[in-house]
Amino acid sequence: MTIRIDAKRLIPGRGEPLADASVVLDDGKISFVGPTADAPDADQEIKTDTVMPGLWECHGHFLGLLTANFDELSGLRPQMAAMRVTHDARNVLEAGFTTVREMGGYGTFLGRTIDEGWAVGPNVYASGAMLSQTGGHGDFHGAPLHLARDLVERHWGEDNICDGPDECRAAVRRMLRLGAKVIKIHASGGVMSELDDPILPQFSKEELEAIVDEATRMGRLVGAHCHGSRGIIAALEAGVKTIEHGTYLNDEAADLMVEMDATLVPTRFIVEFLMAEGEKKGMPEYARRKGEEAAKKHSEAVSLAIEKGVRIALGTDIWATGMWGRNAE
Ligand SMILES: [Zn+2]
């Protein structure tokens, strides 16, 4: 079965866009890209305005939540969340994203369901749960610790809290048994968690090194949620390859990112979304306070990263059902 797509504009991904060009698919594989005048005939022909390669969303969460308050998870049945994320998967694919790097949530299960052919969606390159120290950004501070751990295990498959190098190593292994393709950690405090400070680093040097060592041995890269520059530097020195958010990036951290050939995923979308719509979506007061402070610094950090030549990848940090599909905004 051959399919020919004729477009007024074709963006090949490498080089300049082409006018009046075609892509020919032969049993799902691209067999021709070039001017329509030179394109071979096909069984099926489609005409459209623009054709381009599929995009990557490099930081999202399939959580099935409806609000900007993660406490919603405790009253949400996993079955409901799992149903909702299949809708999100279709929406993001239809928005042009053929791969999602899912940095904590239902992604490992969703990705496997899509791979099996039972749901429509992008390739999902998922992390399982987000690894966090006790009291860190991936902990639910309002609940007793055992209930917070249970909540994460109930929704995303395995406990995410780990302290000390041995537990950190074991936590990486727990994510691997979910089918994680990337390991996500919290190397600083965050905005959406109640009691920690986004500026302060999380996980010790020994813990970070144990996580990276274990992940590397198993052929996975580690991505770290980091706001403060000390957390960014500690993560990079331990061998973390992507920095997520990077809100308080300074000269030293930006230079180190270039030196280590690391990638920044600034998630600018969520910063602007929370400032504009967060309150309406139930964002807690503590998150609004921390978010306002972070938002001021975040655009400076992105400017600095561009100026220093840090490699940047698109990521939105979209997590709510109904928001998926807005990934290119
Ligand atoms: Zn995130």
Side-chain angles (χ1 to χ4, degrees):
M1 168 81 177
T2 52
I3 301 171
R4 193 175 96 191
I5 306 167
D6 299 337
K8 289 181 190 150
R9 184 173 52 163
L10 186 146
I11 300 170
R14 223 174 272 136
E16 291 298 307
L18 307 171
D20 298 317
S22 299
V23 176
V24 177
L25 299 163
D26 201 339
D27 280 332
K29 285 218 163 102
I30 294 174
S31 59
F32 174 89
V33 179
T36 301
D38 301 339
D41 291 337
D43 301 326
Q44 189 187 350
E45 295 185 359
I46 299 165
K47 295 203 186 302
T48 188
D49 287 336
T50 304
V51 170
M52 61 184 285
L55 295 167
W56 273 63
E57 158 64 90
C58 290
H59 186 130
H61 303 274
F62 289 112
L63 304 183
L65 293 176
L66 301 178
T67 71
N69 185 343
F70 289 161
D71 287 344
E72 185 192 343
L73 268 180
S74 62
L76 176 65
R77 286 189 189 272
Q79 294 89 338
M80 282 301 296
M83 298 287 164
R84 288 174 183 166
V85 298
T86 59
H87 166 86
D88 297 332
R90 178 187 280 271
N91 272 1
V92 69
L93 180 67
E94 288 178 353
F97 289 81
T98 49
T99 300
V100 170
R101 181 169 171 261
E102 204 257 4
M103 297 303 268
Y106 282 89
T108 58
F109 310 114
L110 179 62
R112 283 156 65 187
T113 307
I114 292 166
D115 289 347
E116 286 175 352
W118 309 123
V120 175
N123 300 308
V124 181
Y125 183 81
S127 71
M130 319 82 163
L131 303 192
S132 173
Q133 64 176 51
T134 297
H137 178 52
D139 191 355
F140 288 84
H141 307 155
L145 183 58
H146 72 282
L147 293 181
R149 303 178 89 135
D150 177 66
L151 185 62
V152 170
E153 187 179 336
R154 189 167 7 124
H155 280 280
W156 308 325
E158 291 290 350
D159 174 20
N160 68 329
I161 302 292
C162 46
D163 299 291
D166 289 349
E167 282 189 19
C168 287
R169 217 174 263 284
V172 171
R173 293 175 183 175
R174 286 199 295 277
M175 298 311 128
L176 295 177
R177 74 189 291 280
L178 291 173
K181 294 177 180 166
V182 55
I183 299 299
K184 162 75 181 299
I185 65 169
H186 292 312
S188 84
V191 169
M192 300 303 292
S193 44
E194 186 178 357
L195 297 174
D196 57 352
D197 186 335
I199 294 176
L200 299 181
Q202 295 186 355
F203 282 130
S204 68
K205 180 174 184 288
E206 292 73 24
E207 289 167 328
L208 291 170
E209 285 173 356
I211 290 167
V212 172
D213 181 64
E214 190 64 23
T216 305
R217 201 165 55 78
M218 302 310 284
R220 268 71 163 186
L221 296 181
V222 180
H225 154 110
C226 288
H227 291 291
S229 55
R230 276 167 60 204
I232 297 172
I233 291 167
L236 292 170
E237 284 177 342
V240 165
K241 289 296 179 202
T242 69
I243 299 296
E244 318 291 317
H245 317 305
T247 307
Y248 296 88
L249 189 80
N250 61 12
D251 281 327
E252 187 189 353
D255 289 340
L256 193 58
M257 286 204 69
V258 173
E259 190 188 319
M260 297 297 220
D261 198 26
T263 301
L264 176 68
V265 187
T267 66
R268 183 70 201 163
F269 173 89
I270 205 68
V271 175
E272 293 183 9
F273 172 84
L274 287 176
M275 288 306 101
E277 299 176 48
E279 227 171 318
K280 214 168 55 197
K281 296 280 183 194
M283 180 171 61
E285 173 58 22
Y286 59 78
R288 192 190 56 75
R289 242 183 305 115
K290 291 200 265 185
E292 271 175 13
E293 196 55 40
K296 281 185 231 154
K297 295 286 173 197
H298 189 264
S299 53
E300 290 170 29
V302 176
S303 302
L304 178 66
I306 293 167
E307 186 189 309
K308 293 274 188 181
V310 174
R311 183 170 52 241
I312 294 177
L314 183 155
T316 59
D317 213 0
I318 280 177
W319 69 71
T321 289
M323 279 168 73
W324 283 95
R326 295 178 60 181
N327 307 66
E329 279 183 20

